[in-house]
Amino acid sequence: MTSVGGNLSCAVVAVDGSEESMNALRWALSNLKLRSPALDSTNAGSFVVLHVQSPPSIAAGLNPGGIPFGGPTDLEVPAITAAIEAHQKRITEAVLNHALGICAEFNLAEPVIKTHVVVGDPKDKICEAAQDLHADVLVMGSRAFGPIKRMFLGSVSNYCAHHAQCPVIIIKGKENVDKKN
């Protein structure tokens, strides 16, 4: 929880709705200390809850390719795209509401807690957002994929650990959440 003596102005916590990402949020709220506002300033630190949405075509696996018998090759069906976007918006709202509920358990809300949503590949967008938000630290969970899944899907946390411009804390498993530094 925030207290006097913290020196972080921006701690970004990436959440995707998974238990691992929510455990990372709990860990961050329990262990990281934000900068207190100066007496003559409102420049207090903040936790930024970051969620990355996949673009609609990636989310649905849509790449219709050519339509048989000479149809257009770059056809995008607006109704399908709109439905996917609406579904993703509902998912994002649910993820952020769950995260904000966790923040409320720590008696934290705006302006200490902020939310930020971006659209794209999580690996790249998390690193970009951390840089754009001038994060002092990036906190994220690890899904602990096995070697086969990791080979095909890659590890977002591993990518961010190597490419983010700030320190990255990766929380593995629930047992790390319950421990305080």
Side-chain angles (χ1 to χ4, degrees):
M1 295 211 247
T2 58
S3 67
V4 176
N7 61 359
L8 298 175
S9 62
C10 180
V12 173
V13 183
V15 296
D16 62 4
S18 68
E19 182 179 345
E20 294 85 358
S21 71
M22 296 304 168
N23 286 339
L25 177 60
R26 286 184 186 91
W27 185 92
L29 297 173
S30 295
N31 293 284
L32 298 180
K33 306 297 180 209
L34 298 176
R35 181 176 62 216
S36 297
L39 295 176
D40 60 348
S41 154
T42 58
N43 197 16
S46 63
F47 287 103
V48 178
V49 178
L50 171 67
H51 178 67
V52 180
Q53 283 184 348
S54 296
S57 60
I58 293 173
L62 293 179
N63 186 359
I67 295 176
F69 311 112
T73 57
D74 290 332
L75 179 67
E76 183 175 307
V77 181
I80 293 175
T81 302
I84 293 167
E85 288 172 350
H87 180 69
Q88 286 181 292
K89 183 177 180 185
R90 286 190 301 272
I91 290 171
T92 296
E93 288 172 357
V95 168
L96 292 179
N97 286 338
H98 185 194
L100 292 174
I102 291 169
C103 295
E105 293 171 14
F106 288 83
N107 295 319
L108 295 173
E110 287 191 77
V112 174
I113 303 296
K114 299 176 181 178
T115 59
H116 189 70
V117 178
V118 293
V119 178
D121 177 22
K123 291 176 181 179
D124 296 322
K125 292 300 179 180
I126 291 171
C127 291
E128 286 175 21
Q131 185 171 356
D132 293 346
L133 295 166
H134 307 287
D136 296 309
V137 64
L138 170 61
V139 181
M140 55 196 319
S142 173
R143 289 193 178 192
F145 285 143
I148 302 299
K149 270 191 176 178
R150 190 169 42 249
M151 181 175 71
F152 288 105
L153 299 176
S155 166
V156 174
S157 57
N158 185 51
Y159 181 90
C160 292
H162 289 92
H163 293 90
Q165 299 298 310
C166 64
V168 178
I169 299 173
I170 300 170
I171 304 301
K172 296 181 179 185
K174 187 165 175 30
E175 63 277 356
N176 292 322
V177 174
D178 298 329
K179 296 178 184 174
K180 281 192 148 189
N181 288 343

